[in-house]
Amino acid sequence: MDTIKQEPFACVRDNMTIRGLSFRPQGRNLPIAIVSHGFMANYQTTKGYARWFAKRGYAAFCFDFNGGGLMSKSDGATTDMTIFTEEKDLKAVVAYAQSLPETNASSVTLMGCSQGGVVSGLVAADMQEALERLILFYPALCIPDDARAGKMMFAKFDPANIPETFRCGPMKLGRDYAASVLEVDLIAELARYTGKVLIVHGTDDQIVDYHYSERAQAACQNATLKLIPQGQHGFSKAHDRIALGYVEEFLAQ
């Protein structure tokens, strides 16, 4: 019998409501796991990971970033979203999870996919004491380089004259999405976190070259990198099983 309790949750950041799902087993003093989705995605893409954590004894949470995607259940406009607004969102979710009576506020694991991995790394660097582990699936550490090149996934623009809004496929973005990262070194930011890091990346990723993860592993004090041959950006079911096997090993360390 499945004893995991699944229910919606909400918290607020700057008068905007963040909405998501929590998955909690029975018990008290539960460690926390928070899973962050990637660019243009939503918590439907990460709820399987949250449930996976809950089955292993974690109070687990997945959520939609404010303005984070076309199907977002959270507030906010996509034109106001940046990795730094998402950093604020994730910090709000962490604070919410830590405030619950059944959780252990000093035992937090962050997991993020793609852009959600970048955001998780930014938050990890600012909360060294409470964070136990950081898990990154194909982290989008290329974002600043892409912005400097004026080519961010489906979007193209002049980096010296970024328009107020521009389209990235079906999603409209604001100037700050690109402008805010032009001078940023995400690998250096990630390296500020001195705790345990697991990075899992596919060698056939056409959106974020896995060499970014190799550089990140080298820069971090305590990082493990696992490469999945033929893995792409967004793992197949088979590659997902491999990746979660690496996570299982990592959690046992």
Side-chain angles (χ1 to χ4, degrees), residues 3-23:
T3 58
I4 305 300
K5 183 178 182 181
Q6 173 185 330
E7 59 185 359
F9 80 90
C11 59
V12 176
R13 190 271 291 175
D14 294 339
N15 297 317
M16 289 183 289
T17 300
I18 300 165
R19 299 176 178 89
L21 290 177
S22 67
F23 297 83

Side-chain angles (χ1 to χ4, degrees), residues 63-166:
F63 65 99
D64 287 352
F65 285 109
N66 286 317
L70 297 172
M71 305 294 288
S72 178
K73 293 187 182 300
S74 296
D75 292 347
T78 61
T79 48
D80 293 329
M81 180 271 296
T82 71
I83 63 170
F84 301 109
T85 67
E86 292 197 344
E87 178 187 10
K88 293 178 181 178
D89 292 344
L90 179 52
K91 286 180 176 178
V93 175
V94 171
Y96 168 81
Q98 289 176 315
S99 75
L100 298 175
E102 64 270 28
T103 62
N104 180 349
S106 62
S107 178
V108 179
T109 292
L110 297 183
M111 175 179 170
C113 303
S114 192
Q115 182 167 298
V118 165
V119 173
S120 296
L122 292 172
V123 173
D126 284 346
M127 51 177 300
Q128 304 274 351
E129 296 303 315
L131 202 68
E132 288 202 331
R133 291 179 179 84
L134 176 63
I135 300 164
L136 309 177
F137 279 10
Y138 41 89
L141 298 166
C142 61
I143 288 174
D145 283 346
D146 290 354
R148 288 186 279 266
K151 189 175 185 298
M152 304 182 82
M153 290 184 66
F154 317 114
K156 293 183 180 180
F157 51 84
D158 177 2
N161 188 25
I162 303 169
E164 284 302 308
T165 62
F166 58 94

Side-chain angles (χ1 to χ4, degrees), residues 25-42:
Q26 294 178 338
R28 307 280 292 181
N29 203 37
L30 299 172
I32 296 165
I34 300 173
V35 189
S36 295
H37 69 74
F39 178 75
M40 265 196 308
N42 55 54

